[in-house]
Amino acid sequence: MTTEQHILACIDGSAVTESVCDYAAWYASRLHLPVALLNVSDVPASKRRDLSGAIGVDSRQILLEELSLLDEQRARVVNSYSNALVQDAKSYIKSNFDVPVSTHQRRGKLLPAIEHFKEKNRAIVMGRRGEDHKHDRINIGSQIETVARGANVPVLICSEAFKAPNSYMLAFDGSKTSIKAAEMVAKSPLLRGMEGHIVMIGNHNDAAKNSLVTAADQLKSAGFMAAAHHLPEMDAVNGLLNFQVENGIDLIVIGAYGHSKWQQLFLGSTTTEIIASTVSPIILVR
């Protein structure tokens, strides 16, 4: 029996929740899959202590009981908010897209909640910034690295404003990871029919040049529009983002955990800088 897949949209009520819903619904409609809305509430458990034999136990016991009641009240409020959030998001998607939508609420941490749906996840969509980082300068949600490291499917990190993509750029460096990213693009209908660009910066050795041409040919053979671009040696972030702006590219695809310039990704600053410097959606693939 085949498990029905879905596009998992992680929503938290932040300013980018609407954008997450839009991109998840867009992704799902391109692949003819349903959307699964997920909200995870991290509510700490009430701490009860054994105070038998302690001096002043009566007064402290009363206070602890009051704290426990407050914890229970907070948990109920958080649960009600979570339910309202996913229901509102479902209504929003249903009124704007023709895709099936399911809702899910979990308590605890985000990654374990995502892994609960591991067999069903075709892709994960999450906001570029979360509620806990809405005033930060870089505005990158704290969960992005954790999810990107733990997920075995593409992760779409969306911008604050939805725009249906018409073009994409694949960051390419000739590594196994970037070659695999090109293969994944070729096998998926997600980007089919869009204007495509495969961009490599530096790496002027014959092997890298040949892999760039091969990747472009592979996409073309699969029916994709894909032009290969080999740019001079320069800062990877500036080179890619300048190319994106100059060519009006809507979507960036990056192969996560590659080699050379892309080897470190989150351990370094390349991907963090790209996410922070563009409002375009970014797809991380492994």
Side-chain angles (χ1 to χ4, degrees):
M1 179 177 178
T2 303
T3 301
E4 183 182 18
Q5 293 186 307
H6 61 212
I7 305 302
L8 189 69
C10 304
I11 58 175
D12 63 359
S14 66
V16 295
T17 293
E18 183 176 305
S19 182
V20 171
C21 291
D22 284 328
Y23 277 106
W26 166 81
Y27 207 127
S29 63
R30 296 284 296 182
L31 272 57
H32 304 290
L33 293 174
V35 171
L37 293 166
L38 173 65
N39 177 249
V40 180
S41 304
D42 189 6
V43 182
S46 175
K47 296 181 179 179
R48 297 179 180 270
R49 297 179 176 84
D50 181 8
L51 299 178
S52 58
I55 298 175
V57 65
D58 291 341
S59 59
R60 280 183 285 169
Q61 183 65 45
I62 292 172
L63 290 174
L64 282 174
E65 289 175 356
E66 290 180 357
L67 287 174
S68 296
L69 289 174
L70 288 174
D71 288 342
E72 292 169 3
Q73 291 173 0
R74 179 173 182 269
R76 285 196 297 270
V77 171
V78 169
N79 185 64
S80 296
Y81 173 82
S82 176
N83 183 64
L85 175 61
V86 296
Q87 293 304 323
D88 287 348
K90 179 178 180 179
S91 297
Y92 173 80
I93 292 176
K94 297 296 287 185
S95 64
N96 290 281
F97 295 87
D98 185 21
V99 295
V101 183
S102 62
T103 61
H104 306 276
Q105 298 166 251
R106 292 288 187 273
R107 289 190 180 182
K109 300 298 182 181
L110 180 59
L111 184 58
I114 289 175
E115 290 177 338
H116 176 79
F117 301 98
K118 185 176 182 179
E119 299 302 319
K120 293 185 177 182
N121 293 338
R122 176 69 176 270
I124 299 165
V125 181
M126 56 193 304
R128 187 172 63 96
R129 71 180 187 184
E131 183 67 21
D132 58 338
H133 280 67
K134 64 182 179 180
H135 299 302
D136 288 4
R137 181 182 63 84
I138 295 180
N139 292 329
I140 297 177
S142 58
Q143 302 283 8
I144 289 177
E145 178 178 356
T146 301
V147 173
R149 286 183 178 277
N152 60 349
V153 295
V155 178
L156 189 156
I157 303 168
C158 66
S159 61
E160 297 180 21
F162 173 71
K163 175 187 176 183
N166 293 309
S167 58
Y168 66 92
M169 174 180 70
L170 172 61
F172 191 86
D173 68 352
S175 67
K176 291 181 180 179
T177 304
S178 63
I179 292 172
K180 184 178 179 180
E183 293 173 349
M184 291 182 66
V185 170
K187 292 177 181 178
S188 171
L190 180 68
L191 306 180
R192 189 179 299 277
M194 299 185 192
E195 176 187 335
H197 301 270
I198 306 179
V199 182
M200 182 165 70
I201 297 176
N203 283 351
H204 291 284
N205 59 77
D206 290 339
K209 292 177 181 178
N210 292 336
S211 64
L212 177 64
V213 173
T214 300
D217 289 343
Q218 181 181 37
L219 286 170
K220 293 176 183 177
S221 298
F224 286 76
M225 293 182 284
H229 306 269
H230 199 170
L231 305 183
E233 189 75 37
M234 67 180 80
D235 176 76
V237 174
N238 290 335
L240 289 169
L241 294 182
N242 287 341
F243 184 92
Q244 179 201 8
V245 172
E246 291 170 0
N247 292 274
I249 293 170
D250 300 319
L251 178 71
I252 300 174
V253 181
I254 300 176
Y257 305 106
H259 298 286
S260 66
K261 285 182 173 62
W262 305 103
Q263 185 175 18
Q264 297 302 319
L265 271 180
F266 289 101
L267 296 180
S269 60
T270 301
T271 296
T272 300
E273 289 182 29
I274 290 177
I275 295 171
S277 302
T278 179
V279 295
S280 300
I282 297 174
I283 298 179
L284 302 178
V285 296
R286 295 182 65 185

